Every structure is written in C-alpha cells, then in structure tokens.
Amino acid sequence: MPPRQRLSPADRRAQLLTVGARLFAARPYDDVLMEEVAEEAGVSRALLYRHFSSKHALFAAVYQHAADRLLAETRLDPADSLVEQLIQGMEVHLDYFVTNRHAVLAANRVLAGDPVIQTIMTNELDALRTRLLAVLPLADERAREAVSGVLKSWLVFVQVLCVDWLTHETCTRTQLRDVCIGAVLGALRPLLAEDPAPDWKTDAAGGE
C-alpha cells in the first residue's frame, strides 16, 4: 500500500473516484474489489467505506462524474454547422466509450435496469436532447414536440448501437459515428422547414 496522504474530504473523494474510474475502466465490474480500490488509493477500507458505502455506490459516483464531464466537453456551438456539432459530440462520447469500455458495458449490461445508473443515463440523454433542441431551427411548438420525440428515440438508438459495437465491432469507429449522424439527419429532415445538413450526403464518406 502506498504511503497515506492527508487530504481534505473533498480531495480524498476525488482521489477515490479517480482510482475507481481507472479500475472500472481496466476490468469487468465483477472483477473490481473494494479492497483493491483502498489499496490503490493508499487508504484503509474503513475510510473508503466512509466515502462510498458499497462498490455500487462507488461505481455510480464514477459514472455520474463521467456523465458530467461528457456534457461539459460536448460543445453544441450555434456558430458551427449541425453536422460539425454532431460529429464533435459523437467523438467526445466515442472517446470515452472506447477508453472506458468495461465501465460502459457494466452500466449497460451488468447493471442494466439499476435505477441509480439508469437515472444518470436518462439525465445525461435529456440534457443532450435539450441542447440539440436549442440549436435546431424549429418553426413552432408543434415542431419542437415532434423533434424532441425523434431526438429522444435517436439518443437511445445511439446508446444501444454503441454498446453493441463495444461488444462486437462490426464496422469501423468512423462508420459507426456516421451511421448515427445519418440516422438523426434522415429522421429530422421531414420535420424541419429547411434541410439541416444539405451537404451531408457528399461529405460523409465513411472512413478508416
């Protein structure tokens, strides 16, 4: 065990979250032990459990922190085209999914249906949907409601497709990204007064 450092409660919690995130990313959920988290952090198990009452509580905190960071890094800038915004958001999330494959699979497979984890996911998807609605050219409230429903379903589609891709890579990462973007553009076109991405067909040459 590394020598124990004296940290403030907030700094200790942040340290434990960092260690937990690293271990949950490196190995399947069931293989991560709280004793190992304590040892890696250089603290006693009693201290670890004072911050997180269980492995589930630690994982939920790690996943909430990741969701907050992904939202912060997803830039939906009206100065960019819709396609540029979608590409940037997809790349941010795919970077996390690839780097933290085990954690993503744990949240979506091992802990599927867990109310705490599902709430974290739902809140992030709702926040992304709200941001997308804010940058789309919507004619009226009726159009907003229709587009909101499409975006809600599309975000779930992206989540399921990306988790399946992490399990079995049937296409390249760029192809996966472009499938997701093409799906939402195709779904939105009938609902918007103007084409949100008229150049997409020519620009989206599937890659890598």
Side-chain angles (χ1 to χ4, degrees), residues 12-189:
R12 179 65 69 192
R13 178 182 172 84
Q15 180 213 18
L16 294 172
L17 284 174
T18 298
V19 172
R22 184 171 67 249
L23 292 177
F24 285 125
R27 292 200 297 280
Y29 179 82
D30 290 339
D31 292 349
V32 177
L33 303 176
M34 288 292 272
E35 291 81 358
E36 183 180 15
V37 176
E39 183 176 357
E40 288 263 344
V43 302
S44 67
R45 284 185 292 175
L47 179 57
L48 171 61
Y49 279 105
R50 279 207 293 272
H51 285 273
F52 302 102
S53 60
S54 64
K55 181 168 74 170
H56 175 274
L58 174 60
F59 182 84
V62 165
Y63 214 71
Q64 180 66 70
H65 184 265
D68 293 341
R69 182 168 61 82
L70 286 170
L71 283 173
E73 293 178 0
T74 299
R75 186 187 71 252
L76 294 178
D77 187 344
D80 294 333
S81 70
L82 178 60
V83 169
E84 288 172 331
Q85 295 176 68
L86 291 170
I87 288 175
Q88 191 272 339
M90 285 295 305
E91 290 292 351
V92 166
H93 282 75
L94 287 172
D95 283 344
Y96 176 78
F97 293 163
V98 171
T99 304
N100 298 273
R101 176 177 175 275
H102 288 298
V104 174
L105 291 177
N108 288 274
R109 295 284 170 84
V110 180
L111 298 173
D114 179 272
V116 175
I117 303 302
Q118 290 304 310
T119 296
I120 294 170
M121 291 182 184
T122 298
N123 288 343
E124 189 206 353
L125 296 184
D126 284 347
L128 288 171
R129 176 163 51 111
T130 298
R131 291 187 184 185
L132 284 167
L133 285 169
V135 300
L136 287 169
L138 303 174
D140 51 35
E141 187 59 30
R142 183 173 181 178
R144 180 183 176 85
E145 290 181 6
V147 169
S148 179
V150 167
L151 291 175
K152 182 176 183 178
S153 298
W154 174 71
L155 288 165
V156 174
F157 162 79
V158 170
Q159 179 183 14
V160 172
L161 190 61
C162 288
V163 171
D164 286 347
W165 180 78
L166 288 176
T167 305
H168 182 51
E169 294 184 20
T170 54
C171 62
T172 69
R173 170 175 163 159
T174 300
Q175 288 171 333
L176 172 69
R177 183 200 70 192
D178 288 353
V179 164
C180 293
I181 293 173
V184 73
L185 293 177
L188 290 176
R189 280 184 172 124

